[in-house]
Amino acid sequence: MGTDDPADSDDRADRDEGDDRDDRIVHRRIEPEPGDADYRLLQLIAEVEGIDVTELPPIYDRIDHLVTKMYENPPSPEAQAQLAFSYAGYRITLDQDGNVSLMKIADGLPSE
């Protein structure tokens, strides 16, 4: 906490050797703080894409603050809750502890 780096830990990428699409799964962690969780997720995606966060499409139109809501009133740890959704060419899985998996499902960002 206290840094602008959304990748708090675990900077590995897994590659499927037999796939021409170069599918990648990137595992990272964001701080599970409701005040800025949406933005931290956007920062992470922008970092992986090598672009500025302002180049991403609006996330609020697509998932309506689901990330923030998950951390505002988190379920009990026993629930092991996860969100999964598609955004900006990635299938994103996010758990209640802030662990994020980004799986590339499309090349390039979607056009508006």
Side-chain angles (χ1 to χ4, degrees):
M1 213 157 98
T3 111
D4 290 332
D5 184 8
D8 297 319
S9 66
D10 202 1
D11 187 18
R12 62 179 185 234
D14 301 321
R15 297 188 188 277
D16 182 356
E17 295 293 309
D19 195 341
D20 293 343
R21 292 180 5 185
D22 189 34
D23 285 352
R24 296 178 305 152
I25 300 176
V26 177
H27 302 278
R28 301 276 177 85
R29 186 175 187 286
I30 62 171
E31 282 298 318
E33 298 291 329
D36 66 355
D38 287 331
Y39 187 71
R40 284 187 171 272
L41 180 60
L42 289 174
Q43 283 181 308
L44 174 59
I45 296 165
E47 176 187 301
V48 168
E49 282 292 311
I51 60 173
D52 189 79
V53 73
T54 60
E55 296 177 59
L56 292 169
I59 195 168
Y60 305 110
D61 295 344
R62 288 151 175 88
I63 63 167
D64 192 25
H65 301 285
L66 284 176
V67 175
T68 299
K69 291 174 186 174
M70 182 168 176
Y71 298 128
E72 280 178 341
N73 189 14
S76 71
E78 294 81 23
Q80 299 178 358
Q82 292 184 331
L83 292 175
F85 56 93
S86 296
Y87 169 75
Y90 288 92
R91 184 68 184 165
I92 299 168
T93 305
L94 175 73
D95 73 17
Q96 69 192 56
D97 294 325
N99 298 306
V100 180
S101 294
L102 301 174
M103 182 174 63
K104 189 75 167 172
I105 58 174
D107 291 330
L109 296 175
S111 57
E112 289 296 317

